[in-house]
Amino acid sequence: QVQLVESGGGLVHPGGSLRLSCAASGFTFSRYAMSWYRQTPGKERELVATISDTTTYANSVKGRFTISRDNAKNTVYLQMNSLKPEDTAVYYCHAHRPLYVDKWGQGTQVTVSS
């Protein structure tokens, strides 16, 4: 069935880097815009980055994070550099296509702590 499975999260010190991956299956990956969201308990889910024919980023991560995709591998990535404690969150993979049901992964925890 439809699946989005995130991986690559973990504990990192401020200034460090992580690379998140989201493996997609069960739908036509190349036809979907892919995004990364993040959420801290008690706060609303925040759009971090989106990739379709172009890329967009939240101002809070621009210049530090890079979203990319490999359609042959049905995978979207989020390269996270110069990490800050405020980047700590559960990061979720999201797939969107007009008139189709949005798809969400289960999330992967990123903790930035000294």
Side-chain angles (χ1 to χ4, degrees), residues 12-101:
V12 66
H13 293 307
S17 296
L18 286 172
R19 188 195 192 208
L20 305 185
S21 297
C22 172
S25 60
F27 64 98
T28 307
F29 178 82
S30 62
R31 299 189 187 275
Y32 282 72
M34 300 298 300
S35 297
W36 288 95
Y37 287 75
R38 66 187 182 187
Q39 188 167 28
T40 300
K43 300 180 66 177
E44 73 172 282
R45 193 166 292 188
E46 172 191 22
L47 176 61
V48 176
T50 298
I51 183 167
S52 53
D53 58 329
T54 186
T55 57
T56 60
Y57 297 91
N59 287 335
S60 59
V61 307
K62 192 171 185 179
R64 300 188 297 121
F65 292 9
T66 303
I67 189 170
S68 61
R69 67 193 294 163
D70 186 339
N71 287 344
K73 291 184 174 183
N74 287 356
T75 302
V76 63
Y77 306 94
L78 186 67
Q79 179 65 47
M80 310 165 70
N81 298 327
S82 302
L83 283 161
K84 305 174 180 180
E86 50 263 49
D87 296 318
T88 296
V90 177
Y91 283 72
Y92 296 91
C93 184
H94 174 260
H96 172 76
R97 181 183 179 188
L99 305 181
Y100 288 76
V101 176

